[in-house]
Amino acid sequence: MTVHSPGAMTDAPQDAPQKSAGRPGKTVSPTGPGPQSPRGGRTSLPSGWLPYLLVGPAVLALATLLLYPLIKNVILSFQDINKVEFIQRKYPFAGFSNYAELIADADFWTVVVRSFAFTAANVVLIMVIGSLVGILLNRLGKKMRLVLSMALVMAWAMPIVASVQVFRWLFDEQFGVMNWVMRSAGFAGYEQHNWMQTGLSTLTIVTILVVWGSIPFVALNMYAGLTTVGAELYEAARMDGANGWQTFWKIVFPNLKPFFLITTFLEVIWVFKAFTQVYAMNKGGPDRASEILPVFAYVEGQSQAHYGLAAAISVLTILILVVVMSFYFRLILKQEEEQ
């Protein structure tokens, strides 16, 4: 039925929006309900910005604490700054003279070879002994495993400087425990034996310290990895007559190969930059015979006041480590592709 009003005669359009029942005056959109605005009328950020907002503070902190000092260090390596220039606040540009001096310096290459030998010896001992301790953890009973795990964690958590002081006391010339042990075992010449009289003996003591402090990390990770190897694999190996070494090489190592690769990668980096242990033990002595690259850079910069040269040493140290690690990183990526 069409309603006619005076002076106007119109028909109601057939496609006009109808009022919803029970809610007069509210129209329904043909395309459905529109997007609801958040509480308070504020608009939300696009979802794609959320990861960047979460990562932003960490990136800013890294750029402030790491990137900026690295850039300043690279700039410093191209400047000839010694004690006089540092006091006068003069920063003369030296080009590649610092790098040329280092490359022509036989002492620098001696320290490089020493650093690689020190790193290789430590990493091999850490991985072998740590893996054996991890296997032992996997085979011990619950109570003994807990005791050994707590001992490993306590050794791992011990501050480096405190552990260095303990080792200095153990190998002390007059009151050291090692001299007493050697005398008690019947060896002569250990009344006041100086265990740090040569660079090799000093680095040997540092190696014992570094290995002792690094074994817990490898052992606990090794134990965690062994828990992922199924018991049926060990049972099958025993039924085939495999001994302990064959079981490790055929069962454990293939399943934990990613663990060995990444753990070795981390240990190489950690040992290569082991500054505190070497410097706190004997300050790179005697006669700078136990210096590795980080200590060599520190002594040149702080003791000798060759700041530009020390910066060049640190830059070359980073470059050497990056080149060496690039080959190892390619091995890790190849292993991931094979999986």
Side-chain angles (χ1 to χ4, degrees):
M1 178 177 180
T2 304
V3 180
H4 301 276
S5 60
M9 185 180 296
T10 58
D11 294 334
Q14 298 300 320
D15 57 348
Q18 302 295 323
K19 294 181 180 180
S20 57
R23 291 187 180 181
K26 184 177 180 180
T27 60
V28 180
S29 173
T31 58
Q36 300 293 325
S37 61
R39 186 178 298 178
R42 294 174 296 179
T43 59
S44 60
L45 291 172
S47 59
W49 284 92
L50 182 60
Y52 298 100
L53 291 176
L54 295 176
V55 177
V59 173
L60 182 61
L62 287 175
T64 304
L65 299 176
L66 296 178
L67 185 60
Y68 176 74
L70 179 61
I71 295 174
K72 292 290 291 184
N73 188 69
V74 173
I75 296 174
L76 181 61
S77 67
F78 291 101
Q79 296 172 338
D80 186 15
I81 302 178
N82 297 312
K83 185 178 294 185
V84 175
E85 289 80 6
F86 183 78
I87 294 175
Q88 295 178 351
R89 295 182 178 272
K90 295 180 180 180
Y91 310 106
F93 182 74
F96 289 91
S97 62
N98 290 325
Y99 294 96
E101 181 179 349
L102 287 174
I103 293 175
D105 187 5
D107 293 336
F108 171 73
W109 292 109
T110 301
V111 174
V112 170
V113 173
R114 185 187 299 139
S115 300
F116 277 105
F118 174 77
T119 301
N122 276 274
V123 171
V124 169
L125 290 173
I126 290 169
M127 293 303 299
V128 172
I129 300 176
S131 299
L132 292 176
V133 175
I135 295 174
L136 178 63
L137 280 172
N138 191 47
R139 296 191 176 185
L140 287 176
K142 187 175 181 180
K143 293 183 179 179
M144 290 303 300
R145 183 187 302 127
L146 179 61
V147 172
L148 182 56
S149 299
M150 291 179 61
L152 291 172
V153 171
M154 291 175 63
W156 192 15
M158 189 172 185
I160 296 178
V161 176
S163 62
V164 169
Q165 295 304 315
V166 171
F167 271 73
R168 285 179 60 86
W169 169 71
L170 290 174
F171 292 92
D172 184 72
E173 183 177 350
Q174 185 173 1
F175 304 104
V177 175
M178 288 304 302
N179 282 337
W180 174 80
V181 171
M182 298 302 289
R183 291 196 304 268
S184 301
F187 293 95
Y190 287 93
E191 283 73 18
Q192 288 188 347
H193 177 70
N194 183 9
W195 290 89
M196 301 183 190
Q197 61 184 350
T198 64
L200 180 59
S201 60
T202 302
L203 284 179
T204 301
I205 297 173
V206 176
T207 297
I208 298 173
L209 170 62
V210 172
V211 171
W212 172 80
S214 302
I215 284 176
F217 174 75
V218 178
L220 294 174
N221 281 316
M222 180 69 178
Y223 168 67
L226 287 172
T227 58
T228 64
V229 181
E232 64 277 4
L233 297 177
Y234 295 106
E235 184 65 26
R238 283 193 295 267
M239 293 180 63
D240 291 339
N243 56 28
W245 170 252
Q246 291 173 335
T247 301
F248 174 81
W249 191 249
K250 299 295 183 180
I251 302 298
V252 176
F253 184 77
N255 284 276
L256 299 183
K257 192 174 181 180
F259 155 77
F260 286 107
L261 290 175
I262 193 63
T263 305
T264 305
F265 177 80
L266 294 175
E267 289 298 332
V268 168
I269 297 176
W270 191 81
V271 174
F272 197 82
K273 62 182 185 66
F275 167 81
T276 308
Q277 295 91 332
V278 179
Y279 188 79
M281 186 67 70
N282 203 18
K283 296 184 178 180
D287 298 327
R288 306 186 66 175
S290 63
E291 290 180 353
I292 59 176
L293 280 171
V295 180
F296 184 58
Y298 179 82
V299 172
E300 286 293 331
Q302 297 298 320
S303 300
Q304 306 297 324
H306 300 154
Y307 302 108
L309 191 64
I313 296 171
S314 63
V315 172
L316 287 177
T317 302
I318 296 174
L319 292 177
I320 292 172
L321 188 59
V322 168
V323 171
V324 173
M325 288 292 96
S326 64
F327 295 101
Y328 195 78
F329 201 69
R330 287 175 59 188
L331 184 61
I332 295 177
L333 294 178
K334 184 179 179 181
Q335 173 66 24
E336 293 181 353
E337 291 176 357
E338 291 177 356
Q339 292 181 346

